[in-house]
Each structure stands twice: as structure tokens, then as C-alpha cells.
């Protein structure tokens, strides 16, 4: 987090800084695109403010410090009450200083605070008359905005009619969720348009666009409301309600607020609680389905707000606690072309290293060649780079007006950079014509990995040996390896060979979700594979599914469904080979979905109400103990989903149950605050006892799978175990271990 200010030595430096800040602000409010990243703008604005504090008689009229929004005047619809901006703080100390000055001003401690996300979109005012949406207006310069009512029907969360016939102005932010951004860009590029640089830019462009041939959705989040002429008795209520209750009232009218999100506004009473929530929201930021650039803290009580009052630019009763910027401008040095596990050739940008959100970013994804062309990226360009938390950094757009003319075109490869074969360029994502075979070692190693088939002892070096010896041409070949073949390899003694064969035999009875994940279908990782396996219950059903039925699986949209169907067709010979090798093709406990049209379609296998976690969203935190002690998080998630629940990694108002083990931290605190049911690992183990490894139902499912390969001894191992070969002993063990 940076909180330094640009140092402006003299009047000339001040004038130049005002000019630069004004240009950046004008561009930002006009199109959502800025010539400066947020950090750079904030530094400049603070430098300007510091200079003005020392030279109050030299303040320039276009200085951003005096402006309501710092932006260009767009539109001619006057706001009834100015749409103000917010002052910023960047640290706990600055927040404490601000609180102290506010409390000095009102002469008493602030009674309560509302802590809410600072949504990264555009401010709008929605005027409702007798319950009907009359006008939607942008903030513009804060005193007058643009009428964008034409855009309202495509704004999710902003109903055309309220649930009560009231006259009210609801204020809030319009943004694009990450999903809307992806969808919007897909539709736009299908229509030959350039992709939006980022969600904020997408929301700004979409709001202003008229007569588009396609529909792009955005989302509204209300963060305030005020009376209008004609509000009648409601006027007094709106001005007197605590802010937290005002938001609840607005939500009750059917308008969307952040209440149902993980960063829901929280009412607290102490500065320590505010700080704790700020940190919590900061930690949740990367995983949120929409962008936030800070936290807004507001005095909750109307009396506190009234007595604090407002300046010309910002209210004194609210402050924006800015989070570290997740966008920075840096230079694009070169582009590398890497071949992935499935043969996809992906461009990667090499950047002049830049510090973003606490880490140094030197690389960013570039999606595909068409994307490079559409964005008109060139080597040497200054580019806007985005990174939030663990998310892989991506290039949003070149900052075209910073070009010097020395930039050069990016060259695309003419043949596969891995093996020299031809490239299939018929799709947006280029692919080596050898497909998975181009990176055979990587795809077999992936299939053998811990979260897929979990074949112990099959590291990358072994896979290289097997591939080089011609024994493995895909991962199904692992299941037909013979002892003699393995013994003939370097450094493969009898013990290693038998252990590896035993591990492979164990892998044969992994549940369908693992086997499906091992296929490495693009876009289907661990949790998506589990959802697909639970929904369809058998590989036959998955393979027979068309794009439409795949979309019934939670999280699969049209585009992904089509891609999965195409890839499964390509993988059909491999799947056949796995079936012949006796690999499990069913998901224990799941039942296939009914045939479309025959009876009411459910949501796939095994999610019936009879399951102990049916309809529940479960979060696991802390160290597991007792029967759950040895399970990885992935295995815990598998267990939750087998028992009918949904697993999630973060606590929100929608969480049904928190399984809290030893050393559970902030998730537990949050669950307590939200009144969510908390279970110790032992209590949870009891709840889902029948699904635990080794439970009767599990054993039957696994034994049934073992029977497919006709190893009938395993059902009666007692007393005869010594006579059962190692591979089958492993299968017996599997009955207990899965
Ligand atoms: S309160 C007078 N609450 O941030 C109070 N603003 O940088 C001003 N914003 O203009 C609005 N999330 O566009 C408020 N929860 C939130 C907000 C929020 C985002 C935006 C809003 C405002 C800007 C100031």
C-alpha cells in the first residue's frame, strides 16, 4: 500500500501536476480509461493538495482537489442533491486520525459505523416515482449528469417497478461482475467489436451505448437513498433512518444491495471492529465475483451525519479506505509462447517488473493471438496490468496515447514452439496439431497427480522414462503396464515396481470425479469435475450429454458446455481405453439424471433431499481431527459434495455450516458474527458418517467398481489376505481409504 505524495517543488510543477490530473480524471469519467493508474493518480492528487495547503493563494481553478468528482461535466440533468465524492485514507493510522477529527467536530464519539465495500464502477442515481423507474442519471460532474434511462432494462438489480409505490431516489454503483465482463466481451467480439479493457470500462461504455445490436448486462448495487419532491411522509423516514436501516429498506423495495455478498455492509460500534472488517474485506477481495477498490466507512446514525455535514467535494461523515491498487501501468517487453498440457499454445507477456498488491509482477497472460490483434498490442507499449490476490495478472489494454512510435508488432509463431509441428489456428486458441501428445509427459503427470488419480511414486521423472521407452502413449497405458516392462527400466527394482503397480491398481478404482479430472478437459478442474461427475453419475452419461444438458451443471455456461462436448468427442478413444482397462466409470452415491422430458428433471445424481447435507453450503476451516484428520481439503470437499452439500472456501450470509477445526481463525469469528451454525470435526464426521471412508455405503460402491475388473477375491479377503497379490491388496486397502 502506498501513501506517499508526489513532491511538487514550484508553481510550474504544480501547474503541470494539475494539468496531468485533470486530463486523467476527464478520461476516466468519460470512458473509464485513465492515463494514470489509481496509485499514480492518488500520489499526484496528494502532492497537489500538499502544495495547495502551503500556497492557498495559488490554487488553480481546475485543481482536482476542489472538484466534486474531478471529472468532466457530462450531461444536463441536475442532481437534486450533489453527488459527492469521498476522501481517502490508506492506513489504520490515517483512519484513526480521520475518526478523531470527525469525533472532535461532532463533540462525541460516533455511535456506530457502517462498513461496506467500495464498489468499482460508476455512480448513478435512479429516480423512482410512485414505484416506477422514471430516470437513470450518471453522476457526471456531481451537480448534473447524463440521462441513461435507455440502459436501465439491462441493469440487473435495478427493477423497473419497486415492491411499494414510493417516490424515492436510490443511489448506487453500476458495475460489471466478472462473469458479465467475460460474457460482455464474448458477445462484443462476436459482433466484431473490440473487447472492453476492464469491467469498469465495460460498465461505462455499456451505460452510454445506444442502439447496440446486442445486449450486455451490468449490475446495480444500491448504497444510499434520498427523498424526492413528492416523497411525502417517506421524506422524514429516509432522512432519519440509520444508514444500515436505510440500506435494508431499499433492499426491501426489491433493489439490489451488497447484503447478499460476502462483503455485506456490517454495522459495528468500535474503531477496532471497523479495522477488523476492513482487513476481512481486503482478504476477500480477490475471490469476489466483482471488483472493489476499497472499503467505505460511514457514520451510521442520521444525527452523527447531520452534525458532521459535508464539504463541497466530500461528506465529512464517510471515508474511503483505499485498498492497494490492483492495476498498474508498465511496459510490455516481449511475448513468450508456451505449450500447455493439452497442446494449447498460449502467449505470455514479459513485463518490466512492477509492484502490484504486495508482489512483483513480471509476467501476464495474454489469452490468445486474436486477442493480441484486437487489442492492438505492440512490443514496447505501456500497458495496464491487473492483478488481484492470487489471480494471474492480465494485460487489460495498451495505453495508446503513451506511444512513442518506437513500438513494434508482436510476432506470432509459425510452428509449435515445443515440437516444431504445425499449428492448428482454426480456433481462437491456437493448438499444436499433435494435441496432448505434444506435452505427453505433462498430461500423464497431471493425470497421476494427487487430486486426480493420485498414483504415488509416479513423478515426472518416471513418466519421462515410461514415455521415452514407448510404454505410455496416454495415461490409459499406465493400467496395462506389466511387471517385466517396468523391471527393465533404469532404477526400477522389484520393490519400486511392485509399489508402482499397486498404486496404479488403486488408481483404477478412484471415483469418476477423479478419473474425469484426470482427462484434463480444458476448463474443468477439481471442483468442476466433481460437479459433473455428481450430476451425471456415470461416464456414459457424461459422454452422451449434449451442450444443453451440460449447462444444467452448476457453473457451466453455453461456451464452456460447447467446448467440453467437443473435447470429450476428441477424448472418446482415450475414455474407451480406460473402460477396457477396468477403470471406474461411476461416481459413488450419485444417480444419473432422468432422461430429458420423461419426468421432472432434478439437478443430477445424488443431490436428493435425503442426503444429510442436501441444500447446504459448507465451509471447512482449521485443522481437522479424529476421523477427518488425514483428509486433504480436496478430499473434504469431495466428502461434502457426496453428502449432498456444496463446498465453499469463504463464509458469507449464505453459508449453512462451518466445520471449524483447531486453530480456526477469522472464518470462525465471521461465522459467529453472522450466527452461522458451527460444527467441530467430530460432530461433522457423525453427521456424514455414512459417507466417511470405510463406511458401509462407500465400501459397497468401491467393491462394485472392483468387481468390474473381476478381482472377486477382494470381497472376501479375511483370512486369505496372504494369498492375495499385492495389486489386489491395494484394492482391499482402497475400500478403507477412499
Ligand atoms: S457513498 C456522499 N458508498 O465511490 C457519499 N460510495 O470515490 C458518496 N462508491 O462517488 C457515496 N461504493 O461512486 C458510497 N459503498 C459505497 C460506494 C461508493 C462505491 C463510489 C461512489 C462515489 C465514489 C467516491
Amino acid at each position: 500500500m502506498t501513501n506517499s505524495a508526489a513532491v511538487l517543488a514550484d508553481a510550474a510543477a504544480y501547474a503541470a501536476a494539475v494539468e496531468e490530473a485533470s486530463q486523467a480524471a476527464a478520461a476516466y469519467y468519460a470512458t473509464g480509461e485513465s492515463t494514470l493508474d489509481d496509485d499514480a493518480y492518488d500520489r499526484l492528487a496528494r502532492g497537489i493538495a500538499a502544495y495547495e495547503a502551503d500556497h492557498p493563494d495559488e490554487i488553480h481553478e481546475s485543481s482536482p482537489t476542489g472538484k466534486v468528482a474531478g471529472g468532466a461535466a457530462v450531461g444536463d440533468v441536475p442532481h437534486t442533491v450533489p453527488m459527492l465524492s469521498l476522501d481517502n485514507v490508506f492506513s489504520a493510522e490515517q483512519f484513526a486520525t480521520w475518526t478523531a477529527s470527525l469525533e472532535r467536530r461532532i463533540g462525541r464519539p460516533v455511535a456506530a459505523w457502517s462498513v461496506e465495500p467500495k464498489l468499482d464502477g460508476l455512480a448513478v442515481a435512479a429516480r423512482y416515482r410512485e414505484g416506477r423507474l422514471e430516470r437513470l442519471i450518471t453522476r457526471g460532474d456531481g451537480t448534473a449528469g447524463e440521462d441513461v434511462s435507455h440502459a436501465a432494462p439491462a441493469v440487473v438489480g435495478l427493477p423497473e417497478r419497486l415492491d411499494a409505490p414510493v417516490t424515492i431516489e436510490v443511489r448506487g454503483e453500476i458495475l460489471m461482475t466478472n462473469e458479465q465482463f467475460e460474457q460482455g466481451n464474448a458477445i462484443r467480439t462476436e459482433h466484431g467489436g473490440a473487447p472492453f479493457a476492464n469491467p469498469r470500462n465495460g460498465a461505462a461504455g455499456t451505460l452510454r451505448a445506444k442502439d447496440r445490436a446486442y445486449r450486455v448486462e451490468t449490475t446495480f448495487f444500491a448504497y444510499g437513498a434520498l427523498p424526492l419532491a413528492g416523497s411525502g411522509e417517506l421524506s422524514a423516514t429516509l432522512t432519519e433512518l440509520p444508514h444500515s436501516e436505510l440500506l435494508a429498506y431499499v433492499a426491501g423495495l426489491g433493489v439490489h444491495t451488497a447484503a447478499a455478498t460476502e462483503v455485506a455492509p456490517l454495522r459495528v460500534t468500535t474503531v477496532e471492529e471497523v479495522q477488523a472488517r476492513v482487513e476481512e474485506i481486503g482478504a476477500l477481495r480477490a475471490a469476489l465475483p466483482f471488483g472493489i477498490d476499497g472499503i467505505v466507512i460511514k457514520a451510521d446514525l442520521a444525527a452523527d451525519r447531520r452534525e458532521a455535514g459535508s464539504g463541497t467535494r466530500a461528506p465529512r461523515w464517510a471515508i474511503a479506505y483505499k485498498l492497494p491498487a490492483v492495476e498498474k501501468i508498465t511496459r510490455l517487453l516481449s511475448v513468450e509462447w508456451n505449450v500447455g498440457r493439452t497442446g494449447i499454445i498460449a502467449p505470455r507477456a514479459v513485463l518490466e517488473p512492477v509492484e502490484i498488491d504486495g508482489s512483483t509482477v513480471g509476467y501476464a497472460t495474454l489469452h490468445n493471438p486474436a486477442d493480441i490483434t484486437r487489442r492492438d498490442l505492440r512490443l514496447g507499449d505501456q500497458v495496464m496490468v491487473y492483478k488481484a490476490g492470487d489471480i494471474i495478472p492480465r494485460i487489460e489494454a495498451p495505453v495508446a496515447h503513451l506511444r512513442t512510435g518506437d513500438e513494434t508488432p508482436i510476432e506470432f509463431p509459425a510452428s509449435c514452439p515445443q515440437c516444431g509441428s504445425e499449428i492448428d489456428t482454426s480456433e481462437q486458441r491456437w493448438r499444436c496439431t499433435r494435441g496432448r501428445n505434444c506435452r505427453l509427459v505433462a498430461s500423464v503427470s497431471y493425470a497421476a497427480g494427487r487430486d486426480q488419480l493420485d498414483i504415488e511414486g509416479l513423478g515426472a521423472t518416471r513418466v519421462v522414462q515410461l514415455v521415452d521407452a514407448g510404454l505410455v502413449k496416454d495415461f490409459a497405458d499406465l493400467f496395462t503396464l506389466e511387471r517385466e516392462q517396468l523391471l527393465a527400466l533404469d532404477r526400477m527394482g522389484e520393490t519400486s515396481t511392485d509399489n508402482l503397480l499397486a498404486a496404479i491398481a488403486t488408481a483404477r478404482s478412484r471415483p469418476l470425479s477423479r478419473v474425469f479430472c484426470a482427462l484434463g478437459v480444458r476448463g474443468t478442474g477439481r471442483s468442476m469435475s466433481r460437479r459433473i461427475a455428481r450430476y451425471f453419475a456415470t461416464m456414459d452419461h457424461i459422454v452422451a450429454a449434449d451442450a444443453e444438458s451440460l449447462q444444467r451443471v452448476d457453473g457451466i455456461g453455453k461456451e464452456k458446455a460447447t467446448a467440453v462436448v467437443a473435447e470429450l468427442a476428441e477424448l472418446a478413444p482415450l475414455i474407451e481405453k480406460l473402460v477396457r482397462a477396468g477403470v471406474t466409470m461411476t461416481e459413488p452415491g450419485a444417480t444419473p439424471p432422468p432422461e430429458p422430458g420423461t419426468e421432472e428433471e432434478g439437478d443430477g445424481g445424488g443431490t436428493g433431499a435425503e442426503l444429510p447435507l442436501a441444500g447446504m453450503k459448507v465451509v471447512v476451516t482449521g485443522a481437522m481431527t479424529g476421523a477427518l484428520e488425514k483428509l486433504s481439503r480436496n478430499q473434504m470437499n469431495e466428502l461434502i459434495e457426496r453428502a449432498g452439500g456444496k463446498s465453499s472456501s469463504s463464509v458469507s450470509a449464505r453459508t449453512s455450516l462451518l466445520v471449524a477445526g483447531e486453530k480456526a481463525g477469522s472464518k470462525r469469528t465471521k461465522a459467529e458474527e453472522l450466527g452461522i451454525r458451527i460444527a467441530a470435526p467430530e460432530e461433522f464426521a457423525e453427521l456424514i458418517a455414512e459417507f466417511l471412508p470405510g463406511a458401509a455405503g462407500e465400501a459397497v460402491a468401491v467393491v462394485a467398481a472392483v468387481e468390474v475388473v473381476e478381482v472377486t477375491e477382494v470381497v472376501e479377503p479375511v483370512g486369505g489376505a496372504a494369498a492375495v497379490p499385492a495389486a489386489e491388496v491395494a484394492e482391499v486397502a482402497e475400500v478403507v481409504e477412499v
Side-chain angles (χ1 to χ4, degrees):
M1 193 176 295
T2 168
N3 54 11
S4 60
V7 178
L8 305 176
D10 52 28
Y14 168 73
V18 168
E19 168 73 15
E20 192 180 359
S22 306
Q23 271 181 13
Y28 179 92
Y29 285 102
T31 65
E33 258 178 303
S34 174
T35 44
L36 292 174
D37 55 50
D38 277 4
D39 262 1
Y41 183 85
D42 283 337
R43 265 172 46 77
L44 201 61
R46 270 172 277 146
I48 291 169
Y51 186 89
E52 289 173 353
D54 292 341
H55 307 86
D57 47 343
E58 287 179 33
I59 298 177
H60 199 282
E61 61 175 8
S62 62
S63 165
T65 56
K67 285 219 165 166
V68 167
V74 188
D76 53 7
V77 185
H79 290 298
T80 45
V81 174
M83 289 189 81
L84 297 182
S85 195
L86 289 168
D87 285 331
N88 298 325
V89 292
F90 296 86
S91 65
E93 295 72 45
Q94 289 180 359
F95 176 65
T97 309
W98 175 79
T99 318
S101 81
L102 170 58
E103 293 185 339
R104 261 199 314 277
R105 179 177 282 272
I106 66 172
R108 57 172 186 270
V110 169
W113 302 98
S114 173
V115 190
E116 44 193 84
K118 185 168 187 304
L119 304 145
D120 194 5
L122 294 98
V124 291
R127 288 187 193 158
Y128 283 93
R129 193 152 303 279
E130 290 170 11
R132 265 187 187 283
L133 182 60
E134 186 187 62
R135 237 171 174 187
L136 182 63
I137 309 151
T138 64
R139 178 171 63 173
D141 68 352
T143 47
E146 193 181 348
D147 188 330
V148 287
S149 307
H150 62 272
V155 182
V156 177
L158 194 62
E160 209 272 312
R161 246 178 191 286
L162 296 177
D163 290 348
V166 289
T167 296
I168 186 173
E169 178 166 306
V170 180
R171 289 186 174 179
E173 202 84 348
I174 287 185
L175 52 71
M176 267 186 177
T177 62
N178 300 343
E179 201 181 343
Q180 287 169 336
F181 176 60
E182 297 296 332
Q183 273 171 4
N185 269 351
I187 299 171
R188 235 171 116 74
T189 48
E190 261 170 38
H191 283 79
F196 299 121
N198 57 37
R200 190 202 312 115
N201 186 230
T206 301
L207 214 54
R208 298 219 167 86
K210 281 188 181 149
D211 307 323
R212 260 190 196 155
Y214 51 92
R215 177 185 157 104
V216 173
E217 289 191 342
T218 55
T219 301
F220 178 73
F221 285 86
Y223 55 62
L226 45 128
L228 287 171
S231 284
E233 286 172 9
L234 185 63
S235 278
T237 318
L238 293 180
T239 20
E240 282 314 312
L241 274 182
H243 177 73
S244 48
E245 289 177 33
L246 182 71
L247 285 189
Y249 173 76
V250 170
L253 292 174
V255 180
H256 185 233
T257 67
T261 71
E262 298 196 59
V263 288
L266 191 68
R267 184 182 183 277
V268 296
T269 50
T270 68
V271 170
E272 290 72 30
E273 287 171 313
V274 170
Q275 186 61 32
R277 183 63 178 162
V278 164
E279 279 159 30
E280 222 163 45
I281 294 180
L284 288 166
R285 177 197 206 177
L288 289 176
F290 50 84
I292 64 169
D293 59 346
I295 293 106
V296 183
I297 302 138
K298 302 172 182 172
D300 196 42
L301 291 195
D304 287 350
R305 288 201 304 271
R306 203 168 28 242
E307 281 161 51
S310 293
T312 51
R313 201 190 93 94
R316 294 193 198 89
W317 44 264
I319 195 85
Y321 196 129
K322 293 289 281 268
L323 288 170
V326 286
E327 286 171 322
K328 284 276 177 75
I329 294 174
T330 188
R331 190 177 297 278
L332 173 63
L333 300 177
S334 60
V335 174
E336 290 175 352
W337 298 84
N338 300 311
V339 187
R341 205 166 18 88
T342 57
I344 294 284
I345 302 168
R348 181 167 84 146
V350 183
L351 305 168
E352 207 164 84
V354 61
E355 167 111 358
I356 308 183
D357 198 9
S359 63
T360 305
V361 173
Y363 299 95
T365 44
L366 275 173
H367 306 289
N368 55 56
D371 208 50
I372 294 177
T373 310
R374 265 195 307 262
R375 289 181 202 277
D376 187 24
L377 280 176
R378 302 180 204 166
L379 296 181
D381 260 340
Q382 296 281 354
V383 289
M384 184 70 93
V385 181
Y386 174 93
K387 176 184 176 289
D390 293 337
I391 296 172
I392 304 162
R394 65 161 192 255
I395 289 192
E396 296 194 324
V399 186
H401 41 268
L402 293 180
R403 280 197 172 139
T404 61
D406 292 337
E407 296 76 15
T408 53
I410 294 169
E411 278 184 37
F412 294 174
S415 58
C416 172
Q418 177 79 19
C419 70
S421 302
E422 273 184 42
I423 301 178
D424 174 359
T425 59
S426 60
E427 306 253 338
Q428 287 226 333
R429 303 172 81 188
W430 289 8
R431 198 170 180 204
C432 172
T433 44
R434 292 180 63 216
R436 285 177 159 74
N437 289 338
C438 176
R439 294 290 315 276
L440 187 54
V441 170
S443 55
V444 174
S445 299
Y446 175 78
R450 184 156 189 240
D451 294 331
Q452 291 77 32
L453 298 174
D454 196 11
I455 305 179
E456 212 172 299
L458 193 58
T461 331
R462 279 265 188 275
V463 176
V464 171
Q465 268 186 309
L466 293 169
V467 169
D468 284 353
L471 296 175
V472 166
K473 297 207 165 46
D474 54 42
F475 79 85
D477 285 338
L478 293 172
F479 296 100
T480 48
L481 284 173
E482 285 171 17
R483 196 162 185 272
E484 299 313 313
Q485 291 174 320
L486 290 175
L487 281 171
L489 297 175
D490 271 358
R491 298 180 308 280
M492 278 298 272
E494 300 223 338
T495 315
S496 322
T497 299
D498 289 340
N499 286 345
L500 182 55
L501 283 171
I504 292 172
T506 303
R508 194 179 265 129
S509 28
R510 297 269 178 245
L512 174 64
S513 50
R514 299 289 198 105
V515 178
F516 185 82
C517 192
L519 292 173
V521 176
R522 277 169 280 162
T524 64
R526 290 172 307 193
S527 102
M528 179 60 79
S529 297
R530 286 200 299 270
R531 268 177 271 156
I532 292 175
R534 285 215 64 75
Y535 183 85
F536 289 104
T538 75
M539 186 68 96
D540 281 349
H541 281 86
I542 299 180
V543 172
D546 56 13
E548 198 183 316
S549 32
L550 266 168
Q551 284 176 68
R552 294 195 196 107
V553 177
D554 198 15
I556 299 194
K558 196 169 158 202
E559 208 179 328
K560 186 174 272 186
T562 314
V564 171
V565 169
E567 208 165 327
L568 282 173
E570 189 183 299
L571 287 164
L574 174 61
I575 296 171
E576 262 308 300
K577 213 163 149 185
L578 289 165
V579 172
R580 281 199 304 277
V583 174
T584 300
M585 293 290 157
T586 52
E587 185 69 0
T591 47
E595 292 293 314
T598 51
E599 51 187 288
E600 196 174 310
E601 290 168 47
D603 62 344
T607 51
E610 73 281 4
L611 295 171
L613 302 181
M616 289 172 72
K617 194 169 161 193
V618 184
V619 177
V620 179
T621 190
M624 292 299 104
T625 45
L628 307 175
E629 188 175 349
K630 295 227 160 58
L631 302 188
S632 67
R633 277 290 185 269
N634 186 46
Q635 286 172 315
M636 280 296 286
N637 292 343
E638 285 176 340
L639 195 57
I640 290 165
E641 288 164 26
R642 271 207 301 274
K646 274 193 177 174
S647 56
S648 163
S649 56
S650 50
V651 174
S652 76
R654 281 171 298 167
T655 306
S656 333
L657 175 69
L658 179 77
V659 185
E662 283 169 12
K663 301 211 179 87
S666 61
K667 287 185 190 169
R668 190 188 177 108
T669 319
K670 180 153 180 219
E672 282 167 356
E673 275 168 16
L674 294 171
I676 287 160
R677 180 176 161 202
I678 299 177
E682 290 69 22
E683 191 187 340
F684 182 68
E686 233 168 80
L687 185 68
I688 42 100
E690 60 187 299
F691 297 88
L692 274 178
E698 278 292 296
V700 170
V702 177
V703 169
V706 170
E707 277 171 353
V708 177
V709 289
E710 294 172 3
V711 187
T712 43
E713 295 95 310
V714 295
V715 282
E716 294 169 6
V718 186
V724 180
E728 283 124 61
V729 170
E731 276 158 339
V732 176
E734 180 69 356
V735 172
V736 185
E737 261 173 39
V738 168

